[in-house]
Amino acid sequence: MHDVHERFAGIKETVVDARFPLTASVVKSLSQLSGTDLISAGATDLPLASTLNSPQLTENALTQLRERPHERAEAPVRLQLGSESYLAFVILRPYGSDVPSGARRVLVLFNESQVNAASRRAGILPLATGLSTIALITTLMIWATERLARRLQRLQQGVQRIASGEFASAVPDTSTDEVGQLGRSVNLMATELRQLWLQVNQQQGSKLLHQMASGMAHQLRNTLTGARLALELHRQNCQHVGQEELEVALREMEFAEDYVQRLLMVGAGQQQPDQPGNVLACLQEVCASQMTIAKHLHVKLDWECSAELSGYSINDTASLAAAVTNLVQNAVQVATHVVVRAHLIDDQTCQVTISDDGPGVDPTISDRLFEPFVSSKPEGIGLGLAVVQRAAEKLSGQVRWKRESDKTRFEFCCKVARV
């Protein structure tokens, strides 16, 4: 409609100020240029020129205008001419002798069907563009929403697994947006929770160990003391029978009493003073006791200690003896052949290697092998290797293990000093 009014304003400006006669040819030319139908009429409303197809339509248009004189203003008037509907504008020309054509009025007719068609053409492009844009945006939003929902669902499932205690679970989201950052934060939280859980278990194990030490040590101390006294009396009465076995039994009893004393001190939150001594002598004592056990179990035990160890001492022989004893006993219980080698790695480090042909470490506990109360044996309580680990830490060393060529190999390293 804005276009219609602009076209009418252009026609009006041309017609009102025109000094040329509005003949039929001029009216036809103006009609073709403006895309409208024009009717010029004189002062008595008689038609002078018209671009309509028939005089009847022209007369009908002028008649309808005469019947509605109040609508002859510049506002459009709807006229029904035959089968077509028109929007009609009336232009009043200055009346006087200076108007050669004598045309007093000019009727400008806009075919309403053409106006409506122009309106539709004007609306189709933005409507089509808008609808296609809405469809595209809607599709993208649905895709993005579904993708985000799936990612959030995976994140929720990961959090639920972590909440149920599966701290090894990871959220598989490596993107760089906020959801990906949240997933990485959840994974970091799971790692921290797993470490915290292990620390809590270790602390609970240590607490339980202290409680067990306090309860068991009091019961064992009196029993071991009586047994040792009985062995000493038997040795005095039978001086020529089984002296070697009695000596081994007495040494084992002394070791047992020392362990009980350690348990008592652990239960009381104390630590037994270090017992410095010669490295070679300590290992030879352990060898003597373990040879008897291996012989009883029909296990071949090869023991070799480097002679140069006689010139070195260790801060606590009890810790070294406990560590090597536990490693050797674990080996002879599952193997048929055990090899023990002790030598110097450098001037400050001694290494004791225990290898056996047993079945090896249970894979289910391999990553927690040195933790307290971790054992694959039905009758085991999981303290032997924990004692080894603690001895290695006390002697400023380390313990490690590996499986190669059907052999299980434990390496216990500790700091020594030249005498």
Side-chain angles (χ1 to χ4, degrees):
M1 291 304 298
H2 182 267
D3 177 65
V4 166
H5 282 281
E6 282 191 341
R7 287 161 62 190
F8 170 71
I11 296 172
K12 180 180 179 181
E13 183 179 358
T14 301
V15 171
V16 170
D17 298 334
R19 295 300 176 180
F20 49 83
L22 295 180
T23 61
S25 60
V26 172
V27 170
K28 184 177 180 180
S29 297
L30 287 176
S31 173
Q32 293 174 349
L33 290 174
S34 62
T36 60
D37 286 306
L38 299 177
I39 300 174
S40 62
T44 58
D45 285 339
L46 294 176
L48 301 177
S50 174
T51 59
L52 294 177
N53 294 332
S54 66
Q56 183 64 37
L57 294 176
T58 301
E59 182 63 31
N60 190 9
L62 293 175
T63 301
Q64 292 185 40
L65 286 177
R66 283 194 295 269
E67 293 175 353
R68 294 184 290 182
H70 59 282
E71 293 182 352
R72 292 187 181 185
E74 294 183 358
V77 177
R78 180 172 281 101
L79 300 180
Q80 187 66 38
L81 303 177
S83 61
E84 297 291 340
S85 178
Y86 291 88
L87 294 177
F89 292 84
V90 178
I91 300 175
L92 298 177
R93 302 187 70 203
Y95 186 77
S97 58
D98 58 337
V99 181
S101 65
R104 180 72 177 85
R105 294 178 180 83
V106 177
L107 183 60
V108 183
L109 303 176
F110 290 88
N111 192 312
E112 196 168 9
S113 62
Q114 295 178 359
V115 173
N116 293 335
S119 299
R120 287 191 296 271
R121 286 194 301 272
I124 284 175
L125 180 60
L127 184 62
T129 303
L131 290 176
S132 60
T133 303
I134 290 173
L136 178 61
I137 292 176
T138 302
T139 303
L140 290 175
M141 288 186 66
I142 292 175
W143 174 80
T145 303
E146 291 180 349
R147 182 172 179 270
L148 181 61
R150 288 193 299 269
R151 293 174 62 194
L152 290 176
Q153 185 178 12
R154 289 195 298 268
L155 181 61
Q156 179 187 10
Q157 293 172 352
V159 172
Q160 289 177 347
R161 289 194 299 270
I162 293 172
S164 64
E166 299 180 18
F167 301 122
S169 301
V171 178
D173 198 328
T174 58
S175 57
T176 58
D177 58 5
E178 288 76 5
V179 178
Q181 294 175 1
L182 181 59
R184 287 190 291 275
S185 298
V186 170
N187 292 337
L188 179 61
M189 178 189 67
T191 302
E192 296 293 334
L193 285 175
R194 184 172 184 272
Q195 294 177 356
L196 180 60
W197 183 260
L198 292 176
Q199 291 176 1
V200 169
N201 284 341
Q202 291 175 356
Q203 292 174 358
Q204 290 296 328
S206 299
K207 183 178 179 180
L208 180 59
L209 178 60
H210 292 170
Q211 294 174 352
M212 289 176 59
S214 300
M216 293 173 58
H218 289 289
Q219 298 295 329
L220 291 175
R221 181 171 57 180
N222 295 332
T223 302
L224 289 173
T225 301
R228 181 172 60 83
L229 292 175
L231 285 174
E232 290 179 351
L233 290 174
H234 181 73
R235 182 177 61 175
Q236 294 175 4
N237 296 328
C238 305
Q239 296 183 358
H240 303 289
V241 180
Q243 289 297 317
E244 182 180 355
E245 289 79 2
L246 285 175
E247 291 295 335
V248 172
L250 284 172
R251 281 198 303 269
E252 290 297 318
M253 201 65 66
E254 291 174 356
F255 287 150
E257 287 183 334
D258 183 68
Y259 294 154
V260 169
Q261 183 62 29
R262 287 173 177 267
L263 287 174
L264 282 172
M265 299 190 71
V266 167
Q270 301 174 1
Q271 187 173 1
Q272 189 174 17
D274 292 339
Q275 302 174 11
N278 185 268
V279 177
L280 184 59
C282 177
L283 292 176
Q284 287 175 344
E285 288 183 1
V286 177
C287 174
S289 63
Q290 297 306 308
M291 281 293 185
T292 303
I293 297 174
K295 183 179 179 180
H296 176 71
L297 295 175
H298 305 288
V299 175
K300 183 180 179 181
L301 176 59
D302 293 335
W303 198 294
E304 180 182 332
C305 295
S306 175
E308 60 184 347
L309 292 174
S310 61
Y312 288 83
S313 64
I314 193 166
N315 289 337
D316 188 18
T317 55
S319 295
L320 177 61
V324 177
T325 299
N326 277 285
L327 291 175
V328 174
Q329 286 184 355
N330 285 344
V332 298
Q333 289 174 3
V334 296
T336 60
H337 186 197
V338 179
V339 180
V340 180
R341 297 286 184 268
H343 62 281
L344 291 172
I345 297 179
D346 53 45
D347 196 47
Q348 295 181 342
T349 307
C350 171
Q351 176 175 300
V352 181
T353 304
I354 300 94
S355 60
D356 64 79
D357 59 357
V361 178
D362 189 346
T364 59
I365 63 170
S366 59
D367 58 338
R368 301 182 294 120
L369 191 60
F370 296 100
E371 296 180 10
F373 309 105
V374 175
S375 176
S376 60
K377 302 175 183 177
E379 73 283 358
I381 60 174
L383 292 178
L385 291 179
V387 169
V388 176
Q389 176 68 33
R390 190 166 183 177
E393 294 173 354
K394 184 175 182 179
L395 297 175
S396 303
Q398 60 178 342
V399 58
R400 54 182 177 267
W401 75 278
K402 57 185 175 181
R403 179 76 176 175
E404 58 183 9
S405 302
D406 297 329
K407 301 282 186 181
T408 303
R409 178 187 176 97
F410 279 84
E411 296 177 351
F412 180 85
C413 299
C414 57
K415 291 295 182 181
V416 294
R418 186 183 293 274
V419 178

